Amino acid sequence: LAGTLNCIIGLLLTFFQSLSFSNSAQVEIMKFISVEKNKIFICVRLPNELAEILADMAEYPVQLCPGSIERLGIKISDTEDLVPAYVKFDSNMKEKGLLVLHKTFEREKEPSVIRGPDRIRLVYDKLASSFQLWELQRILKPISVTFEFFPSP
């Protein structure tokens, strides 16, 4: 049992470290155990740089800012109830100021194109493309190991 747990924890930590290393962007990892010493928590936070790299790889949809429509040469006569379109993330569009910037909960002075819920989706998608998370839960349940993942922006 201890070997299985160490293997899974090692897999997850190595996954996040390699994600960070292979994209040259630091991911923040915090590990701690519960007061009862029967649970291990691994918290992961994506900095803006890594979130944008993952969004670019996934062609993740982000919203154009209202003023970008004219700058892109799109002519719309009635803009009263206009909701700007979503486009796949592109760092060039961000640099040109064409995308909506959102305040981030943890870094108020660093607005980001990628919102908190989007970061969760990006991490989950990356994890799910590398591991069969539901299968991992199924394998661990018979040996009384609870494997859960709780998204939080």
Side-chain angles (χ1 to χ4, degrees):
L1 179 63
T4 303
L5 290 176
N6 284 334
C7 180
I8 291 168
I9 292 165
L11 262 171
L12 291 171
L13 292 175
T14 302
F15 168 79
F16 287 115
Q17 290 165 350
S18 67
L19 183 65
S20 181
F21 181 75
S22 64
N23 292 293
S24 301
Q26 190 64 36
V27 65
E28 298 173 31
I29 302 172
M30 184 173 75
K31 308 166 285 221
F32 58 94
I33 60 172
S34 65
V35 173
E36 301 87 11
K37 298 187 190 246
N38 63 351
K39 295 176 188 72
I40 299 170
F41 296 89
I42 301 172
C43 298
V44 179
R45 184 185 316 188
L46 293 183
N48 288 344
E49 181 183 9
L50 186 54
E52 290 174 4
I53 289 169
L54 294 179
D56 197 20
M57 289 181 351
E59 296 185 349
Y60 197 80
V62 292
Q63 192 171 24
L64 290 169
C65 61
S68 65
I69 294 168
E70 291 176 13
R71 292 175 52 200
L72 289 169
I74 300 170
K75 302 205 186 301
I76 298 177
S77 57
D78 183 15
T79 60
E80 186 175 320
D81 292 324
L82 179 71
V83 177
Y86 281 78
V87 296
K88 69 179 184 172
F89 176 82
D90 183 275
S91 58
N92 291 329
M93 292 182 83
K94 180 193 170 213
E95 290 170 13
K96 293 177 183 176
L98 300 175
L99 303 175
V100 172
L101 289 175
H102 304 277
K103 291 181 181 178
T104 56
F105 177 72
E106 70 280 356
R107 294 181 186 94
E108 291 182 22
K109 295 179 183 176
E110 294 179 42
S112 176
V113 173
I114 312 299
R115 304 172 308 134
D118 299 322
R119 290 169 193 261
I120 293 168
R121 287 185 195 108
L122 288 165
V123 169
Y124 178 81
D125 289 348
K126 200 66 173 168
L127 267 171
S129 69
S130 300
F131 301 103
Q132 294 181 348
L133 299 172
W134 301 111
E135 185 65 15
L136 196 53
Q137 280 184 320
R138 188 190 67 75
I139 291 168
L140 293 172
K141 189 173 185 174
I143 58 173
S144 299
V145 175
T146 304
F147 176 76
E148 299 289 343
F149 31 99
F150 303 100
S152 174

